[in-house]
Amino acid sequence: MLFSRWKPQFLGALGALMFGAHSAEAITLNLGDTGSIKSAASTVAYGMMKYYNGNQTGQPIGLLPNPYYWWEAGAMFGQLIEYWFYTGDASYNDVTTQAMLAQVGPNNDYMPPNQTKTEGNDDQVFWAFAAMSAAEMNFPDPPAKLPSWLALAQAVFNLQAGRWDSQNCGGGLRWQIFTWNNGYDYKNSISNGGFFQLAARLFRYTGNTTYSDWADKSYDWINTTPLFTSDYVIYDGAQIENNCTIADQLQWTYNVGTYLMGAANMYNVTTGSEQATWRTRVEGLLNGSMAFFPSQYGGGEIMVEVACEPQGTCDYDQPSFKAYLSRWMAATVQLAPFTANFILPKLNACAQGAAQQCSGGTDGVTCGRQWYSSTWDGKYGVGEQMSALSVIQANLITKVGPPVTQDSGGTSKGNPSAGSTGDNPSQGMNLPSSDTRKITAGDRAGASILTAVVLSGLVGGVWWVSIG
């Protein structure tokens, strides 16, 4: 995924119809009432799915329309799997299964040929996250002759393990998969954190120590770089030409979120001194996440995408990032129960804030972005809906069981060899240069300056806590 991909634009007739006027109603949310939470989640999920037309005749299955990229569709369907798990509402199960299987590609590894011109390791792993959630939540299995959810996640893991680059920066994954994509010379936290998280979740589900070995290796590697500080600040990425010694100091919610999710899984499945180490890391990552709960916006209880949200400069990718930190914080409550007293009040406050932001559009329940504002901020899109859905339904985390494993009721059958045939570069050859990703020094420098300015004002709102 790439920041600053698009110039702002309206979403055509759909945007005009849904958002041409503002009718303030807002979603009613009573967090003490399970039925109220489910009803609010249903309303937001319905609003999110208004953007999807892949279930209409002649439209591509599993893809969101422009301006949304392929990865965000995978994230959205992962959100719908969790929606079913939390609420029991199967309304979107068929369309989710159809989409998840339509995008697997010829080798059942989420490398569809029509995406290789822009697909990065981070893009691919979000589809693997959705498949992994399907396995962990016992989402209905695909038909017998089709790949299982677990096998799909394993295929992505095997491909990405094969891309580990020890020759540059001492290890890690590159951002991009293919050499012709701009960004191939960049190693970023979300690609490496995604791989770490996937390895940790596969280890927990299967018990196969190959996955834990890779989780340890990936986590240890990023701690040798300036991307991951001793204070658990996680920066965006670094250039290979500098041997990954100079970090692009952008910070995003989903970077700390993906490492938190991986660490919580490792804590859950280890014992003794190893578990104690992972507990320290979980605590540190939660403290690192406090950069996204600034005191000047919601009193330190409301999640904010600090690099772009207060300034109104987020692109179409970034409004969805809070969805991932929300879902992974919720999962951490189950995987590492000692975090509950720290996490649950924040999920509660954020859900209330999100619900009051869902008061826009002609329907009166279109979701905005700034959860710390009591009135709709005029923003809308898949990311806004997904983030609101994620944090609202996350407040049902104490009402559902933990993620299953193959030894605790999981029905998805794996294939440890899936994806072992490796990448097929011919899938993306002869691409027009205008279609490849473009990232410039100016993009990163400008964003870094913006983040530095924003974060300098947040220092007073960040503190270190001991999570009991």
Side-chain angles (χ1 to χ4, degrees):
M1 61 199 69
L2 176 63
F3 311 131
S4 302
R5 278 177 170 165
W6 317 287
K7 294 179 181 178
Q9 55 186 287
F10 292 104
L11 296 173
L14 175 63
L17 176 64
M18 292 175 65
F19 316 112
H22 177 205
S23 175
E25 293 181 20
I27 289 176
T28 300
L29 178 63
N30 177 1
L31 291 173
D33 180 354
T34 298
S36 176
I37 300 173
K38 290 182 178 181
S39 177
S42 175
T43 299
V44 179
Y46 180 77
M48 182 176 71
M49 289 303 286
K50 287 181 180 180
Y51 292 89
Y52 180 65
N53 58 16
N55 55 345
Q56 298 174 11
T57 303
Q59 298 298 323
I61 299 171
L63 301 182
L64 286 163
N66 287 331
Y68 300 103
Y69 270 62
W70 179 72
W71 78 272
E72 194 162 350
M76 184 184 77
F77 290 114
Q79 197 69 61
L80 288 174
I81 289 167
E82 296 197 2
Y83 170 76
W84 163 80
F85 180 70
Y86 279 123
T87 68
D89 180 1
S91 298
Y92 305 109
N93 283 16
D94 289 346
V95 72
T96 297
T97 298
Q98 181 188 48
M100 290 283 294
L101 296 176
Q103 293 298 315
V104 297
N107 296 318
N108 297 326
D109 53 11
Y110 288 113
M111 290 287 291
N114 65 340
Q115 296 300 324
T116 52
K117 66 181 181 180
T118 57
E119 185 175 349
N121 283 303
D122 51 352
D123 303 314
Q124 186 187 32
V125 84
F126 268 88
W127 286 88
F129 289 160
M132 198 69 229
S133 292
E136 294 166 336
M137 296 176 178
N138 268 342
F139 189 72
D141 294 318
K145 294 184 179 181
L146 296 176
S148 70
W149 304 127
L150 179 58
L152 288 168
Q154 289 172 312
V156 173
F157 169 83
N158 285 333
L159 280 180
Q160 296 201 348
R163 297 175 191 144
W164 187 264
D165 175 28
S166 298
Q167 295 183 352
N168 296 282
C169 306
L173 292 179
R174 295 171 182 261
W175 174 23
Q176 293 298 306
I177 297 170
F178 295 118
T179 57
W180 53 78
N181 278 334
N182 289 305
Y184 183 73
D185 58 353
Y186 191 67
K187 293 191 176 182
N188 61 348
S189 295
I190 190 58
S191 295
N192 286 282
F195 178 65
F196 163 66
Q197 180 192 144
L198 183 59
R201 291 169 72 176
L202 283 167
F203 175 49
R204 182 181 179 277
Y205 191 94
T206 68
N208 186 332
T209 56
T210 296
Y211 301 123
S212 63
D213 290 344
W214 272 106
D216 287 333
K217 182 175 183 176
S218 179
Y219 189 92
D220 290 345
W221 171 77
I222 204 163
N223 272 271
T224 69
T225 76
L227 303 184
F228 198 122
T229 76
S230 59
D231 293 330
Y232 295 88
V233 173
I234 303 178
Y235 296 126
D236 185 72
Q239 291 286 346
I240 288 174
E241 66 183 4
N242 298 316
N243 199 33
C244 299
T245 58
I246 303 173
D248 174 353
Q249 296 190 348
L250 237 111
Q251 293 183 56
W252 301 103
T253 50
Y254 71 168
N255 282 332
V256 70
T258 194
Y259 279 99
L260 174 65
M261 180 64 164
N265 272 270
M266 294 300 289
Y267 169 84
N268 184 263
V269 78
T270 52
T271 58
S273 61
E274 188 177 5
Q275 186 181 61
T277 295
W278 285 110
R279 174 173 176 143
T280 297
R281 292 167 175 172
V282 169
E283 290 177 339
L285 287 159
L286 283 174
N287 278 288
S289 76
M290 288 304 296
F292 304 103
F293 293 85
S295 59
Q296 62 266 52
Y297 300 109
E301 294 295 311
I302 300 295
M303 191 185 302
V304 180
E305 199 64 66
V306 295
C308 66
E309 186 180 312
Q311 304 81 13
T313 57
C314 300
D315 67 13
Y316 286 100
D317 277 338
Q318 295 150 5
S320 74
F321 291 178
K322 292 192 295 185
Y324 318 129
L325 179 54
S326 297
R327 71 169 69 161
W328 294 329
M329 288 181 79
T332 297
V333 170
Q334 289 186 324
L335 296 165
F338 66 88
T339 64
N341 289 340
F342 181 85
I343 291 175
L344 290 177
K346 291 176 174 55
L347 294 179
N348 185 301
C350 288
Q352 295 282 18
Q356 71 181 8
Q357 263 298 302
C358 295
S359 59
T362 56
D363 60 2
V365 290
T366 293
C367 297
R369 191 177 299 167
Q370 297 177 340
W371 296 346
Y372 51 84
S373 176
S374 60
T375 57
W376 183 51
D377 58 14
K379 308 297 183 181
Y380 55 86
V382 173
E384 285 83 356
Q385 294 294 135
M386 196 192 316
S387 290
L389 175 60
S390 181
V391 78
I392 288 171
Q393 67 188 25
N395 282 271
L396 294 169
I397 192 64
T398 61
K399 309 296 183 182
V400 296
V404 298
T405 70
Q406 64 181 17
D407 295 326
S408 64
T411 60
S412 191
K413 305 301 180 184
N415 176 7
S417 300
S420 58
T421 55
D423 293 317
N424 178 11
S426 65
Q427 291 179 346
M429 287 294 190
N430 301 317
L431 299 176
S433 60
S434 62
D435 286 338
T436 58
R437 295 186 180 205
K438 181 67 175 175
I439 183 170
T440 68
D443 290 333
R444 286 191 297 270
S448 297
I449 292 169
L450 171 63
T451 303
V453 171
V454 173
L455 292 180
S456 67
L458 304 183
V459 173
V462 180
W463 58 92
W464 192 269
V465 298
S466 177
I467 300 161

